[in-house]
Amino acid sequence: MFLHIVGARPQFMKLAPLVREFNNQGLDFDVLHTGQHYDDSMSSNFFTELNIEPPKFQFDNNNKPYPKMISNMISDISSVIDDYTDIIVYGDTITTLAGALSSIFCDKKLHHIEAGLRSKNLDMPEEKIRRLVDEASNYLYCLTEKCKGNLGHVGGEVNVVGDLMYENFLHHNIEEIDQSDYIFVTIHREENTREKELTSIVEQLNELSRYRDIVFPIHPRTRSCIDRYGLSLDFKPLDAISYNEVLSFIKGCDFVISDSGGVPKEAYWLGKKSVVVLEGLVYPILEEEKCSVRSDYNNILESLEKLEELPEIENYNLFGDGKTSKKIVEILNG
């Protein structure tokens, strides 16, 4: 029996198409939510919107220091893991690492969805998590051949299956937004919400807002840090929004500024270019294919000039054919 372990918003979107295929094929599984993302707009509402059942197991591990968070997650997962033979983890979060470690300690087969991604920036916690989980996994499912090439040294079985997020994206009917000529912005990562970095980002967004409209759905962590540092936005942000709303705003925008992994991909699928505010891109292929420009926290405005020089996006199929869940289940059925 399979246990899917998720805890963060992007993982819910990767989970949804695989759950649908598990149900289609009659595979036995349960879902465990570690509670890494914690409010309704970032968690429970997503399961409703994605049309999948709420998790069987729901824990609360929000707003804790990372060592305490991962310790609690391992304890939570280990309390139920004995009933399962195979553990499925997604991506590169604290939840991913906790699921992998629990699987190792309890001698379960470990499956890593989105294996082989490399930013080559070991200052990013996500990069370390990817490498640790890849090394520990029995089965690894890659987005692209390049990701597979990064895994030549691992001992597990490696398969190229494409992107569950792309499959999930194709599943949605995206509504039009009654707004035009705006920039869509998301900022939430820990390295961009420290005081020096966030102060610079806010100053640049404020400058940009003097001559461009900005749609900025604000992450709870970002809002808290803006308040803590005494910063102010010269434009009104939105509260956290649903996945469908994210897609609609991206579809209608001129371009995207984000430090997310998923948002620049969704922008690419919708024909929008993006500035990615990260030293190491989560998906380097977007930069290689001239769909994104990389920026650090100090150079967002300069990066916008580079973005305008990029050609229009023409290739929309860098991440598979949208049938990833079927390929994964075929492998699981052996």
Side-chain angles (χ1 to χ4, degrees), residues 287-322:
E287 183 180 45
E288 294 163 7
E289 296 294 326
K290 302 188 186 308
C291 304
S292 289
V293 170
R294 185 188 329 216
S295 174
D296 67 26
Y297 66 92
N298 266 328
N299 297 315
I300 296 172
L301 299 181
E302 292 89 336
S303 296
L304 294 179
E305 298 176 6
K306 297 179 183 177
L307 196 71
E308 293 176 356
E309 298 172 0
L310 296 182
E312 293 303 309
I313 296 171
E314 294 182 352
N315 178 8
Y316 296 95
N317 201 24
L318 296 175
F319 295 93
D321 58 7

Side-chain angles (χ1 to χ4, degrees), residues 33 81 86 134 143 154 217 225 271 280 288 304:
H33 183 354
I81 201 172
D86 293 72
D134 284 344
L143 274 63
V154 303
C225 290
E288 294 163 7
L304 294 179

